[in-house]
Amino acid sequence: MNNLMRGYSPEQRTRALVEALPYIQKFRGAVVVVKFGGNAMVNEELALTFAEDVVLLRSVGLKPVVVHGGGPQIGDLLKKLGKTPSFRNGLRVTDEETLDVARMVLVGKVGREIVGSINTHGAYAVGLSGEDGGLITAEIRDPSLGFVGDIVSVNPGILHRLLAEDLIPVISPIGSDPTGQALNINADTVAGAIGGALNAEKVVYLTDVPGLFGDIDDPDSLIARTSVAELNASIGDGTIVGGMVPKVESCIAAIEAGARGAHLLDGRVPHVLLLELFTDAGIGTMVVGDRSPITSGADLETP
Ligand code: ADP
Ligand code: MG
């Protein structure tokens, strides 16, 4: 029996399933892009519950797409190799050697581990990087950052083909320029661009904080719901810094490009993805387009 169910009566377990029914119906066939963060990913147990959640989404008819990061894991290997990581505005400064390390760690290790843990449940996950099938074309963002890419275009054809076969794409955040040069891209940026290109129902960012704070030093300042307009207004006012900058920019880009909504959630909470999608728990930060209809499970009428 699943550990999580120990201590619950059969009636409680049945009730949990029945309460999920309206959400399962609502989201059937919907694409949900999930960014699994470097910092939310360091714990083995969480990696396994994450895999269960993704498989459960697929099993009840959603179309999950995983985009993963790997900052801490890249940092670890760089450290072993005697290189000091450096960041500017949340973006890794990437020389040629760092690019090789990032690509090896993301595609060869982190991506493989996620595919492996999903596929303990069945032959579902297929790992790919933005270089595969022409998925992500990128260009050098700023020569002083080295091989860091800005996304120029997303060609989601390969994803449509995988989703049509009920497979779960697991995407490593590397793109390539038209000459074939690989570029390291922030994983949040990739998740947003993919979510937009697929017109996702939701883009969900699992990170290592409970959501977006109005004041990062005030735990009571968690923002439950915000809009693209409000986020645009707060970018640059100093309340959003470091790794939250590309995350918030990515929420905005995703919704502007066609995703219906975005969520910033605490990936350290086991099964937070199921909590958000299939219960009325109001958790994390929900981002909506300015006039978009309410799409969170949390806003469904109580059945
Ligand atoms: P991830 O691996 O999930 O991308 P990052 O470290 O890149 O993690 O980004 C998340 C971090 O952003 C948080 O740990 C937090 O320190 C930082 N942050 C900056 N500003 C805010 C804010 N206003 N609200 C929440 N987190 C913030
Ligand atoms: Mg980050």
Side-chain angles (χ1 to χ4, degrees):
M1 186 197 304
N2 188 321
N3 283 336
L4 210 70
M5 287 306 222
R6 282 207 186 97
Y8 291 92
S9 68
E11 290 74 21
Q12 283 170 316
R13 289 178 218 156
T14 315
R15 214 171 138 202
L17 277 172
V18 172
E19 285 187 357
L21 176 60
Y23 304 107
I24 293 173
Q25 287 178 307
K26 178 180 163 75
F27 295 132
R28 200 169 174 81
V31 173
V32 175
V33 176
V34 187
K35 192 274 181 154
F36 192 33
N39 290 313
M41 210 166 55
V42 281
N43 166 336
E44 175 95 7
E45 186 87 18
L46 284 174
L48 297 179
T49 60
F50 172 76
E52 287 174 339
D53 290 3
V54 169
V55 170
L56 199 144
L57 297 193
R58 176 202 174 274
S59 302
V60 298
L62 282 78
K63 295 180 180 295
V65 175
V66 177
V67 177
H68 68 83
Q73 292 84 345
I74 296 167
D76 285 350
L77 184 54
L78 286 172
K79 213 159 116 195
K80 282 185 196 149
L81 297 170
K83 285 183 75 86
T84 318
S86 86
F87 286 88
R88 207 169 296 161
N89 292 331
L91 296 171
R92 182 183 296 282
V93 179
T94 306
D95 61 15
E96 203 165 341
E97 204 179 9
T98 303
L99 172 71
D100 277 348
V101 170
R103 195 176 183 212
M104 284 190 273
V105 169
L106 291 168
V107 182
K109 182 173 194 296
V110 180
R112 288 296 97 201
E113 283 169 1
I114 297 172
V115 167
S117 45
I118 292 174
N119 286 350
T120 61
H121 299 278
Y124 305 135
V126 173
L128 67 166
S129 99
E131 301 160 278
D132 291 305
L135 180 58
I136 297 173
T137 304
E139 64 186 5
I140 286 186
R141 160 176 284 231
D142 166 356
S144 75
L145 287 170
F147 294 102
V148 172
D150 265 337
I151 296 177
V152 176
S153 62
V154 175
N155 175 354
I158 182 81
L159 300 181
H160 287 304
R161 284 149 74 185
L162 293 171
L163 292 174
E165 297 288 335
D166 288 330
L167 293 163
I168 302 172
V170 175
I171 302 166
S172 305
I174 302 284
S176 77
D177 79 3
T179 71
Q181 170 66 52
L183 297 170
N184 185 20
I185 309 174
N186 178 277
D188 296 323
T189 310
V190 170
I194 300 272
L198 291 174
N199 296 125
E201 177 71 26
K202 288 164 186 279
V203 186
V204 181
Y205 302 80
L206 303 184
T207 183
D208 63 349
V209 283
L212 180 65
F213 288 102
D215 172 0
I216 182 77
D217 297 318
D218 175 4
D220 292 330
S221 69
L222 184 70
I223 298 167
R225 187 183 167 111
T226 184
S227 69
V228 167
E230 282 168 358
L231 288 180
N232 267 322
S234 54
I235 275 191
D237 75 359
T239 58
I240 301 168
V241 292
M244 197 47 76
V245 174
K247 228 177 275 300
V248 163
E249 286 175 348
S250 158
C251 291
I252 296 171
I255 293 172
E256 286 182 341
R260 290 188 70 190
H263 293 262
L264 302 168
L265 301 180
D266 193 340
R268 300 167 304 178
V269 175
H271 301 293
V272 70
L273 204 49
L274 303 186
L275 268 176
E276 202 295 310
L277 282 160
F278 299 131
T279 77
D280 56 9
I283 44 165
T285 300
M286 171 166 61
V287 185
V288 293
D290 300 326
R291 274 181 296 270
S292 82
I294 292 167
T295 58
S296 168
D299 290 306
L300 276 186
E301 295 286 314
T302 309

